[in-house]
Amino acid sequence: MNQKLLKLENLLRFHTVCRQLHSLGQRRTFAQWRRVFSSAYPVRPAPQHTGSWQTDSLFGTALSQYRLLVTKKEVRPRKSQLSSTKSKKEVEVWIGMTVEELARAMEKDIDFIYEALLNTTMDIDSLEADSHLDEVWIKEVIKKAGMKLKWSKLKQDKVRENKDAVRRPQADPALLTPRSPVVTIMGHVDHGKTTLLDKLRKTQVAAMEAGGITQHIGAFLVSLPSGEKITFLDTPGHAAFSAMRARGAQVTDIIILVVAADDGVMKQTVESIQHAKDAQVPIVLAINKCDKAEADPEKVKKELLAYDVVCEDYGGDVQAVHVSALTGDNLMALAEATITLAEILELKADPTGPVEGTVIESFTDKGRGPVTTAIIQRGTLRKGSILVAGKSWAKVRLMFDENGKSVNEAYPSMPVGIIGWKDLPSAGDEILEVESEARAHEVVDWRKYEQEQEKNKEALKTIEEKRKEHQEAHRKDREKYGNLHWKERSFIKYQERKEQKLLRPKEKVERDSNMLPVIIKGDVDGSVETILNIMDTYDASHECELELVHFGVGDISENDVNLAEAFHGVIYGFNVNAGKVIQESAAKKGVKIKLHKIIYRLVEDLQEELSSRLPCTVEEHTVGEASILATFSITEGKKKVPVAGCRVQKGQLEKQKKFKLIRNGDIIWKGSLTSLKHHKDDVSVIKTGMDCGLSLDEEMIEFKVGDRIVCYEENEVLAKTSWDPGF
């Protein structure tokens, strides 16, 4: 700065001297002219050196002002530069942030991020604005920008205090009291499980079930004449309810395995045995239908040996009771065998303290809201208790038994219906009692947060996998075009883009026809779960895509119809209703509503709907066949037309049908006839044993003696999906 000022002062002094010399020259010239014109024009004498003094003072002032300005200009940018550097020095970042988020945090544009990663091993071409960056690349960008890294305080969320509710430690043996056994009845479909239970509790459950098939888990408390009580879980035996049977086995103490004496061990029988082994639950064997003439109980016992179920008759520890659920024979013996096994197991529970239990089934009742059937395993449930199950909580408003009668308390091993849930919990959820509504909110919030964290982890994992796939695909593309000239590369890419043109309307219709969006509604949570499990076995997406749009519990609503209309889908209802207004609305919007009360009927309907979305297959049906005995040609105008002389070997030739020419087993032509004659007459049909002459619609085809002419028709046949749900 000092050197600049010195240069400026010297320049100003030089300029002042020049002005003074110039003024002096002007005064001399003026003096000469004054002598010439002094007689005519008298001139007043001017003071000496006035202009010089004014000029010096003017430049002095300018110089002092310039010094002040230079000083301010040099001081001011330095302060602003320091302050801006300090404000941009620290950048708050976090793991998994995107390119756009990093640019925003650095107050830069996205191109700056690309430039910072240009000479690194990162594949820049695969980066998008929403691409997630690894920690190493975030550090690299910050380093190249000359900024300071600061990790976000989001880590504090990861160490959030666990607010979940858990089961209590095991109780003091002195506090335990005997409890009733929880018994699950399992077995193959139609082996008489529900009828057996019906006889025990003397109600008509079997008559109420659609098609005689149990489609829910029923929990019932049965009082025996001896005074003992047994809680029975009646699990469905159908193949579709494997998950429900597995859940039943996990909350039970004893399993009664029902096997029909006339049918023997079946598929679901084996599954039930496996569930019992997995849950480490003892088995009591009930060989049913012993009243039938073709019954063979010994055969059943021998078949069970292959599955490590050894009856007492064969030296094992499994009690086998021959019963007839239809007539009620030996049912008390089966109950006594169950009670005996329960005494050996010494089943006890703690009836004090907070309640613990398991949701057996859940559904929505129009008048009462979400309702659950539960088995109490510890503590005593009372009205007003605050419960948590899954991501739902309840303040118990009402409890009722299997007959719908209101109860005030529920003890261990007692099945009970609970009303008061804010949301519908899932079947199989653990029920825990908490001290207050605030605590219930805290537990539910924590579980939702935990689920959200798991989803985020899965999402990040999926994003990372997709990014790697994209990078690999990009690397292969670069290798593919690496040795080509840029003009050749551009031309190839243009051709590829041209091939990937937008779908035509016809192609779009064909694509949409190969997709079946469905909405599933069921009466209870377990039924919906079962239907979804069946849909999970779908393996024919190459034929028609099966898309689950929505599922839920309860009757079909207007929202379901609107969803189905938006996705051009079908609504399947299981044991639910669709009101008249809903059905009229669906009819206006062209939405199909299919209601079923039997699970496998619903699945069969779903298979038919999938099959209807498949393109029809064309089958050829042979009408007649002729052999060529001679060839000749006729003249029509200026053209020569080849003609084949034939004899019909079987069936008949019909001119309006389609034909094909076969030579040495190969089809060399397909099309129509231009003429078919018997002698000189044009005919439309030639029957077996008759001779004829015929010509084809293809003039270039040459006939040879020994060729075969086949008359056929094409019939469209509805395709059938290859999906087999297993029953």
Side-chain angles (χ1 to χ4, degrees):
M1 181 186 72
N2 294 333
Q3 290 179 354
K4 289 181 180 179
L5 288 174
L6 289 173
K7 287 181 180 179
L8 181 62
E9 288 176 358
N10 292 333
L11 182 62
L12 291 174
R13 288 195 183 104
F14 176 74
H15 187 67
T16 304
V17 171
C18 290
R19 289 292 300 271
Q20 289 175 352
L21 291 174
H22 181 68
S23 300
L24 183 61
Q26 281 184 340
R27 284 197 296 272
R28 288 178 180 174
T29 305
F30 179 72
Q32 292 174 358
W33 280 100
R34 188 175 57 182
R35 293 191 193 102
V36 175
F37 298 103
S38 59
S39 59
Y41 303 96
V43 180
R44 184 180 298 174
Q48 298 294 324
H49 305 295
T50 304
S52 175
W53 176 83
Q54 290 176 348
T55 303
D56 289 342
S57 62
L58 178 63
F59 279 105
T61 304
L63 184 61
S64 63
Q65 291 295 327
Y66 180 76
R67 284 175 180 166
L68 181 61
L69 286 173
V70 168
T71 305
K72 287 183 178 180
K73 282 182 180 179
E74 292 202 4
V75 172
R76 191 180 301 134
R78 185 178 297 173
K79 289 182 179 179
S80 62
Q81 187 175 358
L82 287 172
S83 61
S84 63
T85 304
K86 186 176 180 181
S87 64
K88 291 188 178 181
K89 190 175 182 181
E90 200 170 62
V91 180
E92 189 173 19
V93 298
W94 58 90
I95 298 293
M97 70 189 309
T98 63
V99 174
E100 187 176 9
E101 289 170 344
L102 180 58
R104 195 183 304 119
M106 296 175 64
E107 298 181 6
K108 302 282 187 181
D109 56 14
I110 294 178
D111 291 337
F112 180 87
I113 309 298
Y114 291 136
E115 291 174 7
L117 297 171
L118 191 59
N119 294 321
T120 63
T121 56
M122 165 67 88
D123 186 5
I124 304 299
D125 296 332
S126 66
L127 275 185
E128 302 292 344
D130 58 350
S131 297
H132 290 265
L133 293 172
D134 294 334
E135 181 179 349
V136 62
W137 303 124
I138 295 173
K139 290 181 178 179
E140 183 71 19
V141 173
I142 299 297
K143 181 181 177 182
K144 289 193 175 182
M147 298 181 180
K148 186 178 178 182
L149 191 74
K150 179 187 176 184
W151 290 107
S152 173
K153 293 183 179 179
L154 292 174
K155 293 181 181 178
Q156 292 179 358
D157 293 340
K158 295 182 180 179
V159 295
R160 182 174 168 180
E161 185 182 354
N162 190 331
K163 298 290 186 179
D164 203 2
V166 294
R167 285 181 178 264
R168 291 178 285 156
Q170 290 186 354
D172 185 354
L175 299 176
L176 301 180
T177 58
R179 65 175 178 84
S180 303
V182 178
V183 179
T184 299
I185 297 182
M186 288 187 173
H188 191 71
V189 62
D190 198 32
H191 275 201
K193 300 179 302 300
T194 305
T195 307
L196 185 150
L197 189 61
D198 179 50
K199 283 291 182 180
L200 286 172
R201 62 191 177 103
K202 297 181 180 179
T203 57
Q204 295 298 318
V205 173
M208 294 163 57
E209 295 288 356
I213 298 175
T214 303
Q215 318 216 31
H216 307 128
I217 287 185
F220 311 97
L221 186 65
V222 176
S223 298
L224 302 179
S226 58
E228 288 91 352
K229 293 183 178 180
I230 303 176
T231 297
F232 282 100
L233 299 183
D234 178 22
T235 65
H238 195 273
F241 293 87
S242 178
M244 295 174 70
R245 286 200 305 279
R247 186 166 57 244
Q250 290 168 359
V251 297
T252 192
D253 303 310
I254 299 170
I255 287 178
I256 294 180
L257 181 63
V258 179
V259 184
D262 62 334
D263 210 0
V265 176
M266 304 298 286
K267 183 178 179 181
Q268 278 77 53
T269 310
V270 178
E271 288 182 8
S272 299
I273 294 170
Q274 190 58 49
H275 291 319
K277 288 181 178 179
D278 293 342
Q280 298 181 347
V281 177
I283 292 175
V284 173
L285 177 62
I287 303 177
N288 194 22
K289 302 185 181 181
C290 289
D291 56 314
K292 287 191 173 183
E294 59 271 24
D296 189 355
E298 294 303 318
K299 178 187 173 184
V300 172
K301 295 177 184 178
K302 290 176 182 179
E303 288 179 350
L304 289 171
L305 291 174
Y307 304 100
D308 295 330
V309 178
V310 184
C311 299
E312 291 177 338
D313 297 351
Y314 293 90
D317 56 356
V318 176
Q319 300 179 80
V321 184
H322 299 184
V323 299
S324 172
L326 190 63
T327 62
D329 292 344
N330 246 4
L331 292 189
M332 284 302 103
L334 178 62
E336 289 172 3
T338 305
I339 292 296
T340 301
L341 182 56
E343 290 174 354
I344 295 172
L345 295 175
E346 296 183 352
L347 301 174
K348 294 183 179 181
D350 178 14
T352 63
V355 171
E356 296 175 6
T358 302
V359 176
I360 299 300
E361 194 52 271
S362 60
F363 59 94
T364 301
D365 186 273
K366 284 185 177 179
R368 299 182 291 185
V371 182
T372 63
T373 302
I375 295 289
I376 306 302
Q377 295 166 312
R378 188 175 181 181
T380 301
L381 182 62
R382 297 179 176 86
K383 289 183 181 179
S385 298
I386 309 297
L387 306 178
V388 173
K391 291 179 287 298
S392 178
W393 69 279
K395 183 174 183 180
V396 180
R397 292 191 288 110
L398 181 67
M399 296 185 295
F400 56 90
D401 60 14
E402 68 275 8
N403 298 316
K405 184 180 178 182
S406 177
V407 295
N408 296 321
E409 293 181 336
Y411 301 98
S413 297
M414 181 176 174
V416 63
I418 302 172
I419 297 174
W421 296 95
K422 306 304 176 184
D423 297 300
L424 193 67
S426 298
D429 281 349
E430 181 182 65
I431 295 176
L432 297 174
E433 184 179 359
V434 293
E435 56 271 18
S436 64
E437 292 186 20
R439 174 64 178 142
H441 282 292
E442 195 175 55
V443 173
V444 171
D445 290 344
W446 166 259
R447 292 179 178 180
K448 289 179 179 178
Y449 165 77
E450 209 170 24
Q451 184 185 40
E452 186 180 350
Q453 292 296 103
E454 288 297 323
K455 285 184 179 179
N456 291 341
K457 287 180 183 178
E458 290 296 325
L460 284 175
K461 184 179 178 182
T462 304
I463 290 170
E464 184 62 22
E465 289 174 356
K466 291 291 183 183
R467 185 178 68 83
K468 288 180 180 179
E469 288 177 8
H470 185 72
Q471 285 182 345
E472 183 64 20
H474 181 74
R475 184 186 64 78
K476 289 180 180 179
D477 286 343
R478 293 187 70 175
E479 290 177 356
K480 178 180 176 183
Y481 303 126
N483 298 325
L484 298 177
H485 188 266
W486 69 270
K487 291 183 178 179
E488 297 174 337
R489 186 165 59 247
S490 299
F491 178 74
I492 293 174
K493 288 184 176 180
Y494 167 75
Q495 293 290 342
E496 290 177 350
R497 286 194 300 270
K498 191 176 179 181
E499 291 175 1
Q500 295 172 353
K501 59 185 177 180
L502 295 174
L503 289 174
R504 295 174 183 173
K506 184 178 179 181
E507 292 173 341
K508 186 176 187 300
V509 170
E510 290 177 356
R511 185 194 66 178
D512 291 342
S513 66
N514 285 335
M515 177 181 288
L516 176 60
V518 296
I519 294 172
I520 304 296
K521 294 300 286 289
D523 56 342
V524 295
D525 188 73
S527 299
V528 175
E529 177 192 11
T530 299
I531 296 170
L532 298 186
N533 287 340
I534 295 172
M535 290 179 61
D536 285 342
T537 66
Y538 185 70
D539 55 0
S541 296
H542 59 285
E543 298 172 348
C544 178
E545 291 186 24
L546 180 60
E547 182 183 14
L548 179 64
V549 176
H550 172 68
F551 64 89
V553 175
D555 289 340
I556 295 169
S557 64
E558 185 67 29
N559 183 50
D560 299 326
V561 175
N562 293 336
L563 275 174
E565 180 191 20
F567 287 90
H568 305 287
V570 180
I571 301 174
Y572 284 92
F574 181 70
N575 274 336
V576 296
N577 297 317
K580 187 177 180 181
V581 175
I582 298 297
Q583 291 184 357
E584 290 175 353
S585 174
K588 288 180 182 178
K589 296 177 180 179
V591 174
K592 293 181 183 178
I593 297 179
K594 300 190 174 186
L595 304 177
H596 294 275
K597 292 186 178 298
I598 300 176
I599 190 75
Y600 58 78
R601 297 294 184 205
L602 185 149
V603 177
E604 287 174 358
D605 194 325
L606 183 58
Q607 286 178 295
E608 291 176 4
E609 190 68 33
L610 286 165
S611 299
S612 68
R613 302 292 175 111
L614 302 181
C616 294
T617 58
V618 178
E619 290 185 355
E620 292 183 0
H621 174 66
T622 301
V623 178
E625 186 176 326
S627 59
I628 297 178
L629 304 179
T631 62
F632 52 93
S633 61
I634 60 173
T635 303
E636 291 184 357
K638 296 182 179 180
K639 296 188 298 182
K640 287 189 175 183
V641 179
V643 177
C646 306
R647 178 171 294 164
V648 181
Q649 302 295 333
K650 58 182 179 180
Q652 60 185 25
L653 304 186
E654 300 179 20
K655 186 179 179 181
Q656 301 302 321
K657 303 291 184 183
K658 294 185 177 181
F659 289 80
K660 54 186 174 183
L661 178 63
I662 300 176
R663 180 177 299 159
N664 298 326
D666 297 326
I667 299 173
I668 61 175
W669 168 85
K670 276 187 174 184
S672 304
L673 301 182
T674 55
S675 68
L676 179 64
K677 294 189 177 185
H678 179 61
H679 300 304
K680 293 184 179 181
D681 300 327
D682 289 326
V683 294
S684 58
V685 177
I686 298 291
K687 296 184 178 181
T688 304
M690 297 177 64
D691 294 335
C692 65
L694 54 85
S695 60
L696 312 180
D697 60 0
E698 178 59 58
E699 298 177 0
M700 303 302 294
I701 297 295
E702 294 183 1
F703 297 112
K704 288 186 179 182
V705 176
D707 289 352
R708 289 188 301 128
I709 295 288
V710 177
C711 175
Y712 69 96
E713 59 183 359
E714 292 180 343
N715 298 322
E716 287 190 349
V717 179
L718 294 176
K720 188 176 181 180
T721 179
S722 61
W723 173 44
D724 182 12
F727 56 89

